[in-house]
């Protein structure tokens, strides 16, 4: 589940955001065509495009919502992100220059109560000086699309407009906020960012997706380590059960052990008997746990909705977590590692009871028989 959670979040994040961004100090990049050419020339960069980013407020009727506004070139954006495939209603291509159209996240549109072809008021913090003081910039936009990525931070606060319209709204002139890019290999993003940083002027910064979301992925890694520790403790408790079972078996079979010893059985052979018994318990438990865990992981998309529907609860609330479904990413290498660790612990758990059985003295054990 932790692997699936991490994989699902990463895929959704990278589906809505670029792998790497080059931004200017102060948020204004005037010579962006030259920067775009330099970024595109890198062998690991598959596509690149300029963008404008800013904050604002959307107003519709009596509803007001704060939003992150992103000005894009729809023709280029399709090569950078998967936003075009996430459009539920309308199309990303409807963001045409000069028409002041807007595409909203599904939760944002629902919160505003706005529908297709209705007009919303976008309020930008870049104001105009008037005799009455500083006044914010207001512009009406027509809703031409609604997207749903499946992640609350995007669906509830992201609004897309055409890049040239965004430049006019935020008073940027010909400048842009930065250059977004898609890489051939996302795992090489930190290295590519460093290489571009060495080539770019000092007022420009290359920022990759691992750095932008570093806090989140570090938290997930910490959770995975904690889950591993917790599972190890659970296996250790199961191992203690094996120890107690074998100790009870040794105590119960004292007379039988003594008879075997008098018939010529060596302490080593007695020890092997109980080791084999413990190993059989460990193998059966490990196989049962692995098969049950694999079956559950492969059918998690069926089991979890059934439990939620039966109990009337939702495990992943959309307003709290990034995703609403419990994902699963089954990695057989990790299953093998966990199975091997469980078997090893169960094997170690047999040593003390087996050693105790091998030290049984026949005369002492048969004294009261």
């Amino acid at each position: 589940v932790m692997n699936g959670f991490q994989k699902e979040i990463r895929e959704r994040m990278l589906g809505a955001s670029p792998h790497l961004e080059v931004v200017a100090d102060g948020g204004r990049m005037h010579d962006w065509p030259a920067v775009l050419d330099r970024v595109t020339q890198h062998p690991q960069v598959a596509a690149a495009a300029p963008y404008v980013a800013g904050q604002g407020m959307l107003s519709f009727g009596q509803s007001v919502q704060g939003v992150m506004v992103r000005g894009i070139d729809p023709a280029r954006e399709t090569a950078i992100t998967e936003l075009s495939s996430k459009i539920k209603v309308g199309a990303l291509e409807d963001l045409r220059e000069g028409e002041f159209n807007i595409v909203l996240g599904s939760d944002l549109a629902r919160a505003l109560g706005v529908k297709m072809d209705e007009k919303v008021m976008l309020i930008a913090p870049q104001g105009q000086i008037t005799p009455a003081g500083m006044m914010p910039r207001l512009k009406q936009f027509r809703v031409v699309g609604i997207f749903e990525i499946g992640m609350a931070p995007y669906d509830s606060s992201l609004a897309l407009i055409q890049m040239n319209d965004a430049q006019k709204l935020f008073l940027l002139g010909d400048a842009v906020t930065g250059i977004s890019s898609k890489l051939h290999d996302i795992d090489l993003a930190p290295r590519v960012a460093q290489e571009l940083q060495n080539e770019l002027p000092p007022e420009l910064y290359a920022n990759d997706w691992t750095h932008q979301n570093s806090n989140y992925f570090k938290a997930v890694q910490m959770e995975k380590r904690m889950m591993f520790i917790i599972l190890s403790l659970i296996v250790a408790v199961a191992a203690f059960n094996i120890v107690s079972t074998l100790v009870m078996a040794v105590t119960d079979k004292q007379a039988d052990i003594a008879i075997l010893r008098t018939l010529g059985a060596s302490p080593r052979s007695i020890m092997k008997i109980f080791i084999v018994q413990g190993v059989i318990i460990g193998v059966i438990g490990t196989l049962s746990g692995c098969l049950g865990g694999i079956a559950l992981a492969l059918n998690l998309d069926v089991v979890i909705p059934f439990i939620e529907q039966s109990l009337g609860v939702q495990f992943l609330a959309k307003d709290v977590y990034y995703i609403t479904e419990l994902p699963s990413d089954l990695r057989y290498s990790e299953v093998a590692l966990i199975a091997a660790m469980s078997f090893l612990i169960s094997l170690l758990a047999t040593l003390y009871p087996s050693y105790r059985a091998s030290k049984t003295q026949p005369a002492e054990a048969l004294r009261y028989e």
Side-chain angles (χ1 to χ4, degrees):
V1 172
M2 293 302 299
N3 290 335
F5 188 80
Q6 183 177 9
K7 179 182 178 181
E8 189 72 16
I9 290 295
R10 190 175 79 164
E11 289 180 352
R12 294 193 184 189
M13 279 184 175
L14 297 181
S17 59
H19 299 165
L20 187 145
E21 291 181 340
V22 177
V23 296
D25 189 13
R28 290 173 178 262
M29 184 184 296
H30 294 279
D31 57 341
W32 64 266
V35 178
L36 178 63
D37 291 338
R38 184 171 297 183
V39 171
T40 307
Q41 290 172 4
H42 194 284
Q44 279 295 330
V45 175
Y51 72 93
V52 173
Q55 297 181 349
M57 289 193 301
L58 276 179
S59 173
F60 180 76
Q62 300 297 320
S63 301
V64 179
Q65 294 287 328
V67 294
M68 291 296 300
V69 182
R70 190 173 181 91
I72 61 172
D73 181 352
R76 292 175 170 176
E77 189 67 21
T78 54
I80 307 296
T81 65
E82 300 176 1
L83 284 172
S84 59
S85 63
K86 304 297 182 181
I87 302 292
K88 294 177 59 180
V89 184
L92 203 62
E93 291 73 17
D94 292 334
L95 296 177
R96 289 183 284 269
E97 180 182 357
E99 295 186 6
F100 293 96
N101 296 330
I102 191 170
V103 176
L104 304 177
S106 57
D107 291 344
L108 178 59
R110 192 177 301 111
L112 290 171
V114 67
K115 298 179 181 178
M116 287 287 292
D117 293 323
E118 292 184 328
K119 292 187 177 181
V120 296
M121 185 68 70
L122 180 55
I123 306 169
Q126 288 78 3
Q128 296 175 323
I129 299 177
T130 67
M134 182 69 71
M135 297 293 292
R137 291 178 59 81
L138 308 176
K139 184 63 182 178
Q140 272 194 339
F141 283 79
R142 184 170 64 93
V143 178
V144 296
I146 296 175
F147 66 84
E148 184 171 4
I149 297 172
M151 293 183 64
Y154 293 98
D155 293 339
S156 62
S157 61
L158 180 61
L160 304 174
I161 62 177
Q162 211 278 338
M163 188 182 73
N164 298 97
D165 295 344
Q167 289 174 322
K168 296 175 183 177
L169 178 68
F170 294 115
L171 303 177
L172 293 178
D174 294 331
V176 298
T177 303
I179 304 295
S180 60
S181 60
K182 181 179 181 179
L183 306 181
H184 293 292
D185 188 350
I186 61 175
D187 294 327
L188 297 179
R191 194 191 77 183
V192 176
Q194 185 60 48
E195 292 175 354
L196 288 175
Q197 187 64 65
N198 296 334
E199 299 175 4
L200 295 171
E203 66 272 11
L204 300 180
Y205 301 92
N207 198 8
D208 67 278
W209 68 273
T210 61
H211 180 72
Q212 293 171 346
N213 306 289
S214 60
N215 290 336
Y216 164 74
F217 287 108
K218 287 179 181 177
V220 171
Q221 288 297 328
M222 182 179 295
E223 289 177 358
K224 289 181 68 175
R225 294 191 190 101
M226 293 304 299
M227 288 295 294
F228 180 79
I229 294 174
I230 293 172
L231 291 176
S232 299
L233 293 176
I234 293 174
V235 173
V237 171
F240 280 117
N241 289 333
I242 295 176
V243 172
S244 61
T245 300
L246 291 179
V247 168
M248 291 176 62
V250 169
T251 304
D252 187 54
K253 300 295 183 181
Q254 284 284 329
D256 298 331
I257 296 172
I259 293 173
L260 290 175
R261 289 294 307 278
T262 57
L263 293 175
S266 64
R268 178 173 294 182
S269 62
I270 298 297
M271 190 173 182
K272 287 181 180 179
I273 292 173
F274 286 93
I275 289 178
V276 170
Q277 182 180 355
V279 167
I280 291 174
I281 295 174
V283 169
I284 293 175
T286 300
L287 289 178
S288 301
C290 288
L291 293 176
I294 291 173
L296 181 61
L298 293 177
N299 296 279
L300 204 61
D301 56 337
V302 178
V303 175
I304 296 301
F306 174 76
I307 296 176
E308 290 180 337
Q309 186 176 4
S310 300
L311 300 180
V313 298
Q314 185 178 11
F315 293 133
L316 298 178
K318 193 171 185 179
D319 56 344
V320 177
Y321 300 97
Y322 282 98
I323 59 178
T324 57
E325 299 176 355
L326 198 62
S328 175
D329 181 20
L330 185 61
R331 300 179 183 178
Y332 289 99
S333 59
E334 295 186 359
V335 173
L337 177 62
I338 294 172
M341 184 188 70
S342 301
F343 176 76
L344 179 61
I345 292 177
S346 63
L347 178 62
L348 294 176
T350 65
L351 297 181
Y352 169 71
S354 303
Y355 176 77
R356 182 176 173 180
S358 68
K359 294 301 181 181
T360 300
Q361 298 298 325
E364 186 69 23
L366 295 174
R367 175 180 297 179
Y368 302 104
E369 293 295 330

